[in-house]
C-alpha cells in the first residue's frame, strides 16, 4: 500500500487540472488519476497537416477570472492571445441566410435579423421592470417575457443552440442563465442589470487593485486553447497518472481509499472532477441519493467537424461564425471560422471551418460516419455562403455526452447533492455540470474545490510538513 496522500483528484479535464494545480501550489500533496491516455478532457488542441484543431471550446472571455488567474499562475500570461478584429462580427441564421448580429443602435435599426415588430418589442425590455418570473421558469418563458416571442426564438434560440446544444423549453432559467436571472430579479430588466453589473465589476476590480485585461474580444493561447490544459498537466508531472481508471471508492478512518487500475491510494480529501455519469457510478455505493442527483443531469451529444482548406475561401465572410436556431433550414448547430479568429490556425493562406452537429434534438447524428457528418456541414455552408470547394482535411470528434443540460429542477437537485455530501466528509465534486457549462465554469469549479479541500485539511489539523493552505 502506498503512503497516504493529502488529496486525490479523479479526472484530468479542465476542472481536475485546475484543482490539482491550485492544491500543488498550496503545498498540498496531491495525486491525479485520469482514465484516458491524455489529459485535458475536451480542451485539447491537435496539430494535423498544419491545421490547429480544437477538441471542443475555442475561446474564453477576458472576464473569465478563474481561467485568467490560473493561466497567470502557470506562466501563461504572455501566451494569452486576443482574437482578430474580424471576430467581432457574428451571424445568426434567419430565413435561410446569415444575418449579422447587431452591435449598436444603427446596426440594430438596419438589421434584418428581426422584424420591425420584433425590434420594437425588444426595445421595451428595460421598461418592463414589473415583470419577474419564479424559480420554475424555463429559459423559453424567461426570454419570451424579457425579449418577446420573436427575439426569444431567434436570439436566445441561437445562443442556446451554440452554448447548450439544448432545448429552450426544458432548460431552467435560473440554473442555465443565473446572471440574466439575477439581473431581472434585482433590477427588473436584463439590460438595466447588465449596465449596473459592468459598473460594479469595474469598481470591484479597482478596489482589489486589479486592472481589466487590456484586450477586447475573445481570448485563447498561442498554440490553441489546449495550451492551458497541456501546461497544467506538464507542471503536475509525476503527480498525474494517465490510463488509470478509478474502479471504486471506500470510506475509512480519517479519509478515503481510491481503488484504481494499478492498485489503490489512501487520502484524506478526494475530489471527483469527472462528468456526471462516471461521478454517479462512483457515488452510488456510497450514497444513492447523491448519485441520483448527479445522474439526473442530462447530457447533450455533439460531433465536432473540422474542415480544412488549402486556400482561403472567398465565400466565407470575416467573422466569428454563425449559430442556427431550430427551424432555419440548416442542420448544424453552428459553424465557427477559426482561421478568421486567430492567425495561427492553418498553414499559410489556408482556411479552417469547424461545425457542431447533434444536440438534444439531433442526437442520432453522432451515429453517422465521418463522411456524412462532413457532408452535413458542407451542405449548410453551401446553402448559406455558396462555398464551392472541397476540403483537403476532414477531422471528426464525437462526444456522446458533451454538454450538461441544466434543466428545470437542477438547482434543487444540486442543493440535495450538497446536503448529501455533508455526510461524506472530505469528498468534493468539481465540473461544469454543477453551476454552468462553459470552460470558465469548469475551471472555477476546480479552483473552488481546491479551496474547500484546503479548508477541510486545515480544520482537521495539518499533517507533518503541511503549511497554511488558506490562500489556496
Amino acid at each position: 500500500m502506498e503512503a497516504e496522500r493529502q488529496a486525490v483528484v479523479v479526472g484530468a479535464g479542465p476542472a481536475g487540472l485546475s484543482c490539482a494545480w491550485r492544491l500543488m501550489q498550496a503545498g498540498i500533496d496531491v495525486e491525479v488519476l485520469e482514465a484516458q491516455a491524455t489529459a485535458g478532457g475536451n480542451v485539447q488542441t491537435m496539430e494535423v497537416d498544419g491545421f490547429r484543431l480544437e477538441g471542443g471550446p475555442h475561446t474564453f472571455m477576458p472576464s473569465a477570472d478563474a481561467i485568467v488567474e490560473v493561466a497567470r499562475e502557470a506562466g501563461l500570461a504572455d501566451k494569452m492571445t486576443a482574437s482578430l478584429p474580424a471576430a467581432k462580427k457574428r451571424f445568426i441564421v434567419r430565413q435561410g441566410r446569415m444575418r449579422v448580429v447587431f452591435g449598436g443602435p444603427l446596426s440594430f435599426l438596419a438589421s434584418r435579423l428581426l422584424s420591425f415588430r420584433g425590434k420594437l418589442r425588444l426595445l421595451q425590455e428595460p421598461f418592463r421592470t414589473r415583470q419577474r418570473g419564479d424559480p420554475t421558469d424555463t429559459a423559453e418563458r424567461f426570454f419570451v417575457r424579457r425579449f418577446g416571442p420573436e427575439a426569444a426564438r431567434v436570439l436566445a434560440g441561437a445562443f442556446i443552440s451554440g452554448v447548450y446544444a439544448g432545448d429552450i423549453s426544458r432548460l431552467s432559467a435560473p440554473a442555465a442563465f443565473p446572471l440574466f436571472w439575477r439581473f431581472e430579479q434585482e433590477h427588473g430588466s436584463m439590460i438595466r442589470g447588465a449596465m449596473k453589473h459592468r459598473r460594479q465589476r469595474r469598481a470591484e476590480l479597482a478596489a482589489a487593485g486589479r486592472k481589466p485585461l487590456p484586450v477586447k474580444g475573445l481570448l485563447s493561447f498561442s498554440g490553441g486553447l489546449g495550451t492551458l490544459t497541456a501546461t497544467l498537466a506538464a507542471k503536475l508531472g509525476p503527480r498525474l497518472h494517465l490510463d488509470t481508471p478509478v474502479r471504486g471508492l471506500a470510506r475509512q478512518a480519517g479519509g478515503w481509499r481510491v481503488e484504481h487500475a494499478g492498485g489503490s491510494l489512501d487520502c484524506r480529501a478526494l475530489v471527483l472532477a469527472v462528468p456526471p455519469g462516471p461521478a454517479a457510478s462512483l457515488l452510488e455505493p456510497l450514497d444513492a441519493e447523491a448519485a441520483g442527483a448527479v445522474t439526473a443531469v442530462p447530457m447533450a451529444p455533439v460531433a465536432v467537424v473540422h474542415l480544412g482548406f488549402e486556400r482561403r475561401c472567398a465565400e466565407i465572410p470575416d467573422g466569428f461564425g454563425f449559430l442556427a436556431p431550430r427551424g432555419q433550414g440548416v442542420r448544424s448547430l453552428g459553424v465557427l471560422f477559426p482561421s478568421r479568429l486567430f492567425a495561427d490556425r492553418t498553414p499559410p493562406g489556408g482556411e479552417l471551418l469547424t461545425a457542431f452537429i447533434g444536440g438534444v434534438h439531433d442526437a442520432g447524428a453522432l451515429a453517422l460516419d465521418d463522411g456524412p457528418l462532413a457532408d452535413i456541414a458542407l451542405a449548410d455552408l453551401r446553402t448559406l455562403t455558396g462555398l464551392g470547394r472541397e476540403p483537403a482535411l476532414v477531422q471528426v470528434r464525437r462526444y456522446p455526452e458533451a454538454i450538461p443540460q441544466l434543466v428545470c429542477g437542477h438547482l434543487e437537485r444540486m442543493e440535495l447533492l450538497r446536503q448529501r455530501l455533508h455526510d461524506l466528509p472530505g469528498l468534493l465534486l468539481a465540473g461544469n455540470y454543477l453551476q454552468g457549462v462553459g470552460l470558465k465554469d469548469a475551471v472555477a469549479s476546480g479552483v473552488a474545490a481546491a479551496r474547500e479541500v484546503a479548508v477541510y485539511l486545515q480544520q482537521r489539523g495539518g499533517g507533518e510538513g503541511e503549511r497554511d493552505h488558506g490562500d489556496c
Side-chain angles (χ1 to χ4, degrees):
M1 181 68 64
E2 296 186 42
E4 182 185 64
R5 303 304 196 272
Q6 290 174 286
V8 168
V9 176
V10 180
L17 290 172
S18 301
C19 179
W21 163 254
R22 274 293 178 88
L23 292 173
M24 185 180 75
Q25 288 295 100
I28 294 174
D29 181 23
V30 60
E31 301 280 331
V32 184
L33 307 178
E34 168 57 49
Q36 302 302 315
T38 56
N42 66 356
V43 182
Q44 299 183 47
T45 305
M46 301 153 285
E47 304 278 347
V48 182
D49 297 339
F51 291 91
R52 188 163 282 156
L53 313 177
E54 299 287 12
H58 283 61
T59 60
F60 62 95
M61 296 181 67
S63 59
D65 292 339
I67 299 177
V68 173
E69 290 170 7
V70 168
R72 283 173 168 165
E73 295 164 4
L76 294 175
D78 61 343
K79 299 291 186 182
M80 285 189 278
T81 58
S83 57
L84 297 170
K88 294 178 181 178
K89 184 182 288 187
R90 299 168 181 239
F91 301 91
I92 289 177
V93 178
R94 181 85 198 270
Q95 297 172 336
R97 297 185 63 183
M98 290 195 309
R99 308 285 188 182
V100 178
V101 178
F102 33 80
L106 293 179
S107 61
F108 174 75
L109 293 174
S111 172
R112 300 183 66 182
L113 188 56
L114 297 176
S115 68
F116 176 78
R117 174 179 288 184
K119 293 175 186 177
L120 185 62
R121 174 61 179 82
L122 184 57
L123 286 171
Q124 297 172 12
E125 198 280 337
F127 308 103
R128 293 177 174 262
T129 57
R130 294 184 179 181
Q131 295 184 335
R132 287 173 170 81
D134 63 70
T136 65
D137 266 358
T138 64
E140 183 175 40
R141 286 202 300 267
F142 175 80
F143 286 114
V144 168
R145 181 172 66 248
R146 299 311 325 163
F147 294 162
E150 183 183 354
R153 185 175 64 254
V154 176
L155 302 181
F159 183 76
I160 286 169
S161 287
V163 174
Y164 278 95
D167 184 340
I168 192 171
S169 69
R170 294 191 61 211
L171 292 175
S172 160
F177 302 97
L179 195 58
F180 295 166
W181 176 261
R182 182 160 61 83
F183 290 164
E184 183 191 56
Q185 293 297 305
E186 295 180 359
H187 306 289
S189 159
M190 279 182 56
I191 295 174
R192 289 174 184 267
M195 294 171 63
K196 292 182 180 180
H197 177 73
R198 283 195 293 269
R199 291 195 295 269
Q200 182 179 353
R201 178 171 171 79
R202 285 195 293 266
E204 289 173 348
L205 289 173
R210 294 167 49 201
K211 294 182 179 180
L213 287 176
V215 295
K216 293 183 178 180
L218 299 169
L219 295 175
S220 183
F221 297 93
S222 299
L225 206 54
T227 296
L228 175 63
T229 50
T231 298
L232 295 178
K235 288 183 177 293
L236 287 169
R239 299 173 183 83
L240 172 60
H241 306 276
L242 302 175
D243 286 315
T244 308
V246 171
R247 308 299 191 196
L249 309 175
R251 296 178 67 174
Q252 57 183 23
W256 295 89
R257 175 163 294 173
V258 182
E259 302 287 348
H260 59 82
S264 63
L265 280 174
D266 289 348
C267 59
R268 278 183 277 167
L270 173 63
V271 179
L272 300 184
V274 292
S281 296
L282 293 172
L283 286 170
E284 178 65 34
L286 303 171
D287 190 304
E289 283 192 78
V294 175
T295 301
V297 180
M299 301 292 285
V302 175
V304 181
V305 182
H306 299 287
L307 306 173
F309 300 82
E310 294 175 342
R311 291 182 292 112
R312 200 78 154 175
C313 299
E315 304 94 334
I316 301 298
D318 281 341
F320 183 84
F322 71 78
L323 298 175
R326 291 191 71 205
Q328 298 301 318
V330 297
R331 192 170 177 183
S332 301
L333 298 166
V335 177
L336 301 185
F337 308 157
S339 49
R340 311 295 175 112
L341 304 182
F342 301 100
D344 63 349
R345 293 311 194 251
T346 69
E351 186 85 73
L352 178 62
L353 308 173
T354 300
F356 299 85
I357 299 170
V360 298
H361 293 297
D362 194 12
L366 269 69
L368 298 173
D369 292 335
D370 289 2
L373 281 169
D375 288 343
I376 290 171
L378 287 167
D380 290 342
L381 286 162
R382 287 173 182 139
T383 297
L384 296 171
T385 70
L387 180 68
R389 240 180 297 161
E390 292 296 321
L393 171 81
V394 173
Q395 286 278 318
V396 177
R397 297 195 72 172
R398 294 170 179 79
Y399 298 100
E401 296 187 343
I403 304 176
Q405 303 295 293
L406 310 190
V407 298
C408 291
H410 181 81
L411 294 179
E412 292 77 9
R413 285 187 286 273
M414 292 303 100
E415 178 57 32
L416 171 63
L417 180 60
R418 282 188 285 271
Q419 293 173 7
R420 301 307 303 169
L421 290 178
H422 287 161
D423 294 331
L424 300 172
L427 175 61
L428 298 102
L429 302 180
N432 67 343
Y433 66 92
L434 298 170
Q435 296 185 52
V437 303
L439 174 59
K440 68 179 181 64
D441 302 300
V443 173
S445 76
V447 168
R451 190 179 302 115
E452 290 187 56
V453 167
V455 170
Y456 176 80
L457 292 174
Q458 268 194 315
Q459 289 174 343
R460 278 143 187 81
E464 185 177 347
E466 263 187 56
R467 69 170 190 253
D468 187 343
H469 307 311
D471 294 330
C472 182

